[in-house]
Amino acid sequence: MTIIAPSMQKDVYKEFHSRAYHPQVSEVYANYTSRSGKLSNVADNNTVAFVGLQYFIKSYLQEEWSVFFNADKHSAVAEHKRILSAMLGYPVNVKYLEALHDLGYLPLRIKALPEGTLVPYQVPPITVVNTKAGFQWLTNMIETVLSCENWPIQTSATTSVAYLKVFKEYARKTGLPAEMVPFQGHDFSFRGMFGKQAAAMSGFGHLASGLVGTDTIPAVLFAEKYYGANVDKELVGCSVDATEHSVTCSWIMEGEIEFFRYLMREQSPHGVLSVVSDTWDFWTLVTEYLPQLKEEIMARDGTLVIRPDSGDPVKVLTGYTLSPVSDEHKYYQSQQHVEEYAKVNGYEAYCWQGRYFSCENEHTTELMPCEIKGLIECLWDVFGGTKTSKGYKLLDEHIGAIYGDAITLPRQRQILQRLMDKGFASKVVLGIGSYSYQYVTRDTHGSAVKATSVVKAGERVAIFKDPKTDSKKKSAKGLLKVANVNGALTLFDNVTEHQEAQGLLEVVYEDGKLLKETSLGQIRARINRQLETQEQ
């Protein structure tokens, strides 16, 4: 990985700003805010999960800048001067950086809401201001990297919270034990992320919500390094013994029944074992092989999890909605009539003379009875289970299902609702991949850093932007205060210095020091409390 000096972690144009601010400006005050959910990947979303600032402080403001301050002055600025001079086409003046090196610390004050707060749009969770005159350029110099390092974690955490909320909702509705919920959303996004650091950052956002299932090892390391987590003392993230297609294919001569037996008897006789099951013929495995293995599965000390990995996840797990009309109804004299009825009334399949057909495509496709039922019902038919307190079927503890491909938030709700409609509790694990966590941008929640106040010639001046060509980019104005009004976080702008000091934003970093630290456990607990409040 290329080592980038902290002074160069910015847009090139900011090099000019140390000279471009009005000569009488001595302080610049800015904020980080998620402005709009217009492009949100979460339907009807109104809050963003605020996490990631402590990582930014520890990694960038402390670790990386310490290299700058610990080097001799010439070495500290030489590479910066070489690169920026080449890019701008003239010898850049680095006296402003030399002055910072002489000072020996970053003269910045960062105030923030507690990490784990679900923050409404238009309410800033972070404000930044320089603490020493002459370094007014520093506040917005770090804008680029502050945005770059914070919006992805917050966006992933917001997505993860959305998944968690739906899992909680259906657990309540169907009586699924609440302790199962944190394991229902599993992070499978590592291979699809934009590099290993992005995987670690996004993976931490997944864990921050309270979901604990993950295959992203760097996310657990991230939590330990920056958020006081300790895998020896708490459940940070977890996974299970699991196979992939290459492993299954290595048993191509012996077959899947022998493969399952080998795994259960010799390699994973205890705990959760997840086996990818659609390498060849998924429905044959479900309807023929699993019944043959039933006694061994039920005798095993743990849960065997069946993992389909292709097809439509909604239908594979929950089956097809079946039209009540068939050839038994005398009014419908032909298969075409039955199919038309099914299509008009929104059904996905119909029965004709004891055979099942999909009516979703232009060409009629025959379906097997197991496809009509879906995996969960098929597993129930073989292994049975119990009923929850709400009267819904709960698969036996020795068997389960996970689907780790093509899951989205809308599909999650579809799957859980359709299981509920069929009388099943929401006992299923869904893999959350890079589509959910990386098919986003900074615009997903309109996240931006903007300056709103300066001190000029000793007087505080409120500043703002209000483009006539785009009213949505209008910024707040002046000093900012965040307060709780009737249970809702609310922004008050253009307030006095005294009022700003009374708000909920607290100093977490000042002049090189982290003053207020939080942990993964505290973040999870904070998110959980807010979700419980929303449920009431």
Side-chain angles (χ1 to χ4, degrees):
M1 178 178 171
T2 302
I3 297 174
I4 307 170
S7 63
M8 288 192 282
Q9 295 183 37
K10 64 183 182 182
D11 296 305
V12 173
Y13 70 84
K14 289 185 180 291
E15 182 65 26
F16 179 56
H17 295 177
S18 64
R19 296 178 283 127
Y21 279 110
H22 192 284
Q24 292 181 307
V25 167
S26 58
E27 178 189 294
V28 174
Y29 170 97
N31 73 95
Y32 173 98
T33 303
S34 294
R35 297 175 294 185
S36 169
K38 178 183 177 182
L39 300 177
S40 176
N41 60 328
V42 180
D44 303 316
N45 189 56
N46 54 21
T47 60
V48 174
F50 170 52
V51 293
L53 176 62
Q54 186 166 290
Y55 151 71
F56 174 75
I57 291 171
K58 287 185 174 183
S59 65
Y60 175 70
L61 296 182
Q62 292 186 320
E63 292 174 13
E64 297 189 48
W65 275 100
S66 68
V67 176
F68 172 86
F69 289 118
N70 290 334
D72 66 86
K73 189 180 345 185
H74 173 76
S75 299
V77 301
E79 185 71 355
H80 180 107
K81 183 171 184 177
R82 184 181 77 87
I83 296 296
L84 271 296
S85 294
M87 293 186 74
L88 288 168
Y90 62 84
V92 298
N93 188 331
V94 293
K95 287 184 178 179
Y96 73 102
L97 284 178
E98 292 175 342
L100 180 63
H101 190 274
D102 290 341
L103 184 65
Y105 64 88
L106 290 177
L108 289 173
R109 180 185 303 116
I110 298 178
K111 297 178 73 174
L113 295 171
E115 292 199 39
T117 302
L118 303 180
V119 186
Y121 292 115
Q122 299 290 336
V123 174
I126 305 171
T127 61
V128 186
V129 66
N130 62 294
T131 59
K132 192 172 181 63
F135 297 93
Q136 61 282 349
W137 52 268
L138 185 57
T139 300
N140 264 39
M141 190 210 81
I142 69 166
E143 171 197 357
T144 311
V145 67
L146 174 62
S147 175
C148 173
E149 294 283 81
N150 278 273
W151 78 258
I153 302 179
Q154 295 187 42
T155 301
S156 289
T158 303
T159 301
S160 183
V161 168
Y163 274 105
L164 178 62
K165 285 174 67 174
V166 176
F167 284 129
K168 282 174 163 286
E169 175 189 340
Y170 282 89
R172 289 194 309 273
K173 288 178 176 178
T174 65
L176 182 76
E179 59 268 24
M180 291 187 180
V181 170
F183 302 91
Q184 286 192 275
H186 197 96
D187 181 8
F188 280 144
S189 65
F190 191 173
R191 70 192 60 192
M193 298 305 291
F194 206 72
K196 55 184 178 288
Q197 183 65 12
M201 294 163 66
S202 174
F204 176 76
H206 170 88
L207 295 174
S209 74
L211 292 174
V212 298
T214 182
D215 265 51
T216 306
I217 299 170
V220 174
L221 303 178
F222 185 103
E224 285 204 326
K225 182 172 183 179
Y226 297 112
Y227 282 90
N230 187 330
V231 298
D232 299 319
K233 299 179 179 179
E234 62 185 314
L235 180 55
V236 179
C238 63
S239 191
V240 301
D241 290 344
T243 68
E244 63 176 26
H245 293 295
S246 70
V247 176
T248 306
C249 287
S250 73
W251 287 77
I252 191 168
M253 301 300 292
E254 294 80 5
E256 288 177 291
I257 290 179
E258 287 306 309
F259 175 46
F260 271 72
R261 283 182 174 144
Y262 171 75
L263 294 178
M264 290 192 292
R265 291 175 180 177
E266 300 187 37
Q267 297 304 324
S268 188
H270 310 287
V272 180
L273 168 62
S274 174
V275 184
V276 65
S277 304
D278 66 337
T279 302
W280 296 299
D281 189 336
F282 177 71
W283 292 113
T284 294
L285 183 146
V286 171
T287 59
E288 296 182 24
Y289 301 166
L290 291 183
Q292 293 180 54
L293 293 164
K294 178 180 177 179
E295 287 188 15
E296 294 175 63
I297 292 169
M298 296 297 280
R300 183 174 174 272
D301 179 23
T303 303
L304 176 69
V305 177
I306 304 303
R307 180 163 77 91
D309 195 43
S310 56
D312 181 336
V314 178
K315 292 186 175 64
V316 171
L317 289 172
T318 72
Y320 285 71
T321 59
L322 185 64
S323 169
V325 168
S326 69
D327 54 298
E328 295 177 359
H329 294 75
K330 294 181 181 179
Y331 177 77
Y332 299 94
Q333 298 298 312
S334 69
Q335 183 175 354
Q336 183 179 354
H337 287 156
V338 174
E339 182 172 324
E340 287 175 356
Y341 175 90
K343 286 182 176 180
V344 168
N345 289 279
Y347 294 102
E348 296 164 347
Y350 64 92
C351 181
W352 177 260
Q353 296 181 350
R355 298 160 65 191
Y356 297 98
F357 300 89
S358 168
C359 58
E360 293 183 300
N361 302 317
E362 218 175 290
H363 303 290
T364 301
T365 303
E366 186 168 359
L367 302 169
M368 295 178 290
C370 54
E371 292 179 277
I372 295 294
K373 292 180 178 181
L375 175 61
I376 301 301
E377 186 174 350
C378 287
L379 294 178
W380 175 268
D381 289 345
V382 177
F383 300 96
T386 59
K387 292 286 187 73
T388 70
S389 60
K390 298 290 181 71
Y392 290 86
K393 298 174 184 176
L394 182 66
L395 282 175
D396 185 271
E397 62 181 6
H398 293 90
I399 197 73
I402 181 173
Y403 204 107
D405 182 70
I407 298 299
T408 62
L409 283 163
R411 281 178 174 161
Q412 176 205 24
R413 180 171 289 279
Q414 270 188 292
I415 290 165
L416 301 186
Q417 182 62 49
R418 286 167 66 129
L419 288 177
M420 181 177 168
D421 291 343
K422 296 181 71 170
F424 285 92
S426 55
K427 183 187 173 184
V428 65
V429 177
L430 301 179
I432 307 170
S434 57
Y435 182 90
S436 286
Y437 285 138
Q438 187 159 275
Y439 205 69
V440 292
T441 72
R442 184 172 69 95
D443 294 323
T444 298
H445 299 296
S447 306
V449 178
K450 298 299 172 189
T452 58
S453 175
V454 299
V455 171
K456 184 176 181 180
E459 299 291 329
R460 183 162 299 282
V461 180
I463 62 174
F464 62 98
K465 60 177 288 187
D466 186 10
K468 297 300 181 185
T469 50
D470 190 349
S471 60
K472 297 181 187 66
K473 288 191 173 183
K474 182 178 180 180
S475 71
K477 181 179 181 180
L479 295 179
L480 310 178
K481 173 184 175 180
V482 177
N484 192 316
V485 179
N486 298 323
L489 292 177
T490 306
L491 169 65
F492 296 89
D493 67 349
N494 207 20
V495 299
T496 66
E497 292 183 4
H498 175 75
Q499 290 170 326
E500 189 271 347
Q502 303 306 309
L504 295 176
L505 295 165
E506 297 182 349
V507 178
V508 295
Y509 172 90
E510 188 164 15
D511 294 341
K513 298 176 182 178
L514 178 63
L515 302 179
K516 189 175 179 63
E517 192 160 358
T518 192
S519 69
L520 173 63
Q522 290 171 323
I523 292 170
R524 284 173 165 173
R526 192 169 289 123
I527 289 175
N528 186 58
R529 285 195 300 271
Q530 292 166 98
L531 293 182
E532 287 180 347
T533 299
Q534 292 176 8
E535 292 166 8
Q536 294 171 358

